[in-house]
Amino acid sequence: MTVERVLAPNPGIYTGPGTNTYLVGDGDEVAIIDPGPVIDTHLLAIVEAIGGRAAVAVIATHTHADHAPLSNPLAERLGVPVFGYGPGPEFEPDVRIADGDEVPVGMRHLRAVHTPGHSADHLCFTYADRLLTGDHIMGGSTVIMEDASAYLESLYRVRDLGVARIEPGHGDSMDDAGAVIAGYIEHRLAREQEILDSVGAGAGTVSEIVDVVYSFVPADLRAAATHQVIVQLSKLLAEEKVRFSAGAAGPSTMVELIARQ
Ligand SMILES: [Zn+2]
């Protein structure tokens, strides 16, 4: 069994060193996970890394632009089907897979674990004792969330799989998966508490919460931090821990705590 990484040449503030394309192999078969953006040199690097082995599947963890768009062109070149949760911009799976579905590779199986939160269509994959996490867990940077409740639930799900090693969509592999996932859960709960504490201490708008809770972020990540606060406030709103002023949630939205009886 082999898990190899081919780094796409798309470094950036949200992608770290670039997108990790994985070649997951067993015997002389190999599946490709997250081909990345459409970059000709990266397609050639993937084909070269496959070498003389038989490609059996191209799979995307989710349909974001740094993970999925090369899937269809690569699969066409290799003559294999594309697997994914559903279609997205520049992505059209031949085979739709959902939680628990398996893709055979040699004598083993990649098994899909539906992990919404970063995006609603996000899948992680177990392979032997590994967990390929896409953008659900990343090496060295904070995951941008679409839904904070779903994200936390999905962290509990992957924690309970008991895998040994994490192969993230960005950054380096991580041993001691249990501790890494526990750290992610702790981090999310701590951020949520910091938001509540900041409001309790007088931060009255989204922008003021960002000033307190994300004071360390550089200017080019301010918009992302504001997004994270709004997403986390939406979870707290649903849990009836805070209320917002009327209107769309933005930097000037007013926030107050709902007093506990
Ligand atoms: Zn993503």
Side-chain angles (χ1 to χ4, degrees), residues 61-67 118-119 122 134-136 138 144 170:
T61 57
H62 65 300
T63 60
H64 283 168
D66 56 330
H67 290 261
H118 169 71
S119 63
H122 197 286
D135 281 356
H136 185 48
M138 314 198 328
I144 304 294
H170 304 276

Side-chain angles (χ1 to χ4, degrees), residues 5 7 15-20 22 134-135 137-141 166-174:
R5 184 156 47 130
L7 179 65
T15 58
T19 301
N20 292 329
Y22 286 98
D135 281 356
I137 292 175
M138 314 198 328
S141 42
I166 289 172
E167 308 283 2
H170 304 276
D172 290 330
S173 297
M174 291 169 269

Side-chain angles (χ1 to χ4, degrees), residues 170-194:
H170 304 276
D172 290 330
S173 297
M174 291 169 269
D175 287 321
D176 204 353
V180 171
I181 297 166
Y184 264 71
I185 292 169
E186 209 172 290
H187 176 73
R188 289 274 50 103
L189 295 175
R191 278 276 180 273
E192 187 175 302
Q193 191 58 47
E194 284 168 32

Side-chain angles (χ1 to χ4, degrees), residues 141-216:
S141 42
T142 298
V143 172
I144 304 294
M145 295 178 292
E146 218 169 65
D147 180 329
S149 296
Y151 184 70
L152 191 58
E153 284 303 314
S154 294
L155 286 177
Y156 291 132
R157 289 208 68 197
V158 296
R159 178 193 63 185
D160 295 343
L161 297 171
V163 294
R165 189 175 165 87
I166 289 172
E167 308 283 2
H170 304 276
D172 290 330
S173 297
M174 291 169 269
D175 287 321
D176 204 353
V180 171
I181 297 166
Y184 264 71
I185 292 169
E186 209 172 290
H187 176 73
R188 289 274 50 103
L189 295 175
R191 278 276 180 273
E192 187 175 302
Q193 191 58 47
E194 284 168 32
I195 289 173
L196 288 168
D197 289 348
S198 73
V199 179
T205 65
V206 167
S207 185
E208 288 169 8
I209 295 169
V210 175
D211 290 341
V212 175
V213 177
Y214 289 94
S215 58
F216 56 90

Side-chain angles (χ1 to χ4, degrees), residues 12-74:
I13 55 171
Y14 298 113
T15 58
T19 301
N20 292 329
T21 297
Y22 286 98
L23 269 56
V24 168
D26 189 58
D28 68 347
E29 291 191 352
V30 63
I32 299 92
I33 300 181
D34 281 352
V38 177
I39 300 174
D40 290 346
T41 56
H42 187 53
L43 187 151
L44 293 174
I46 295 168
V47 170
E48 190 174 303
I50 294 169
R53 294 174 291 180
V56 293
V58 172
I59 307 169
T61 57
H62 65 300
T63 60
H64 283 168
D66 56 330
H67 290 261
L70 187 59
S71 300
N72 289 103
L74 176 66

